[in-house]
Amino acid sequence: MAQHKPFDMDDLTKRMKGAVATLKHEFAGLRTGRASVTLLEPVHVDAYGSSMPLNQVATVNAPEPRLLTVQVWDRGLATAVDKAIRSAGLGLNPQLDGQLLRIPIPPLTEDRRKELSKIAAKYAEAARVAVRNIRRDGMEHLKALEKEHQISEDEHKKKHDLVQKATDSHVKEIDDALAGKEKEIMQV
């Protein structure tokens, strides 16, 4: 009979934290009508014969709540950066001034706010599912260890409760992050 590796609560917790971190990263990319440098993270520029992340060819700043600036380091790439931002599907129209692009952030319409809230909820649900899948993996591992008499019934119960507590706290963190993002999206 194959021996299972010992139960590792730290690994489960780390994986759950990873799901929450991924969610927060996805939330950062959702445009809320406020200027945020993370808004341009998905933008890639065709530069020097390859596709490069914007932050490798320029400095992005948010000097005002409704304005982003992009300082391109190489004057020859300014038009490529402008084109990349326009074609990134973010609904942004940069104004090019030498090596500096000014990007006004248009206010969100009510429909767009509702759409963004739905997207945020979808991201949150995917994160909850990921956390629950990690929980299920942990529970199945514990069951197998007990079945093979590698851990006692009491130990199984204790670790089961630990896994459940970790799951509950990470799902709560996801719910809190979603509530915060929805509030941010709906603010006028």
Side-chain angles (χ1 to χ4, degrees):
M1 187 166 12
Q3 292 264 320
H4 281 83
K5 64 181 194 258
F7 181 74
D8 186 355
M9 188 64 205
D10 290 342
D11 179 56
L12 285 181
T13 305
K14 191 171 83 184
R15 288 169 54 200
M16 287 180 184
K17 278 183 177 29
V20 173
T22 299
L23 172 71
K24 289 179 177 176
H25 183 75
E26 287 172 333
F27 277 177
L30 278 183
R31 190 161 75 85
T32 59
R34 293 186 60 99
S36 166
V37 294
T38 57
L39 183 59
L40 296 178
E41 267 183 15
V43 176
H44 278 66
V45 182
D46 290 324
Y48 312 116
S50 68
S51 178
M52 303 175 83
L54 179 63
N55 64 6
Q56 290 184 6
V57 296
T59 305
V60 181
N61 286 307
E64 297 171 25
R66 293 210 174 271
L67 180 72
L68 286 175
T69 59
V70 178
Q71 181 67 50
V72 184
W73 303 328
D74 179 346
R75 181 182 284 283
L77 292 177
T79 46
V81 170
D82 179 62
K83 183 179 164 204
I85 293 169
R86 287 178 190 277
S87 62
L90 299 170
L92 301 175
N93 293 308
Q95 291 139 12
L96 185 56
D97 181 10
Q99 285 175 249
L100 182 73
L101 286 97
R102 286 184 186 81
I103 308 168
I105 306 297
L108 294 172
T109 64
E110 189 61 29
D111 285 347
R112 183 69 179 134
R113 287 176 196 279
K114 287 177 182 163
E115 194 180 313
L116 285 173
S117 281
K118 282 181 189 164
I119 293 169
K122 207 184 302 177
Y123 286 164
E125 185 52 33
R128 281 188 213 99
V129 167
V131 167
R132 287 194 292 264
N133 285 340
I134 295 163
R135 173 192 175 275
R136 187 197 61 224
D137 291 348
M139 297 302 191
E140 285 174 358
H141 191 136
L142 285 172
K143 220 181 279 176
L145 289 174
E146 185 188 351
K147 188 176 171 195
E148 294 170 5
H149 307 293
Q150 290 182 24
I151 61 171
S152 67
E153 194 176 325
D154 287 350
E155 199 176 343
H156 179 188
K157 173 99 179 84
K158 265 187 226 154
K159 290 187 174 169
H160 177 284
D161 292 347
L162 284 175
V163 172
Q164 189 58 51
K165 277 190 184 115
T167 303
D168 293 345
S169 82
H170 286 90
V171 167
K172 183 185 181 331
E173 193 176 343
I174 289 166
D175 292 343
D176 292 348
L178 176 61
K181 190 64 179 182
E182 284 178 332
K183 184 176 175 216
E184 185 186 328
I185 289 169
M186 295 318 254
Q187 279 178 348
V188 179

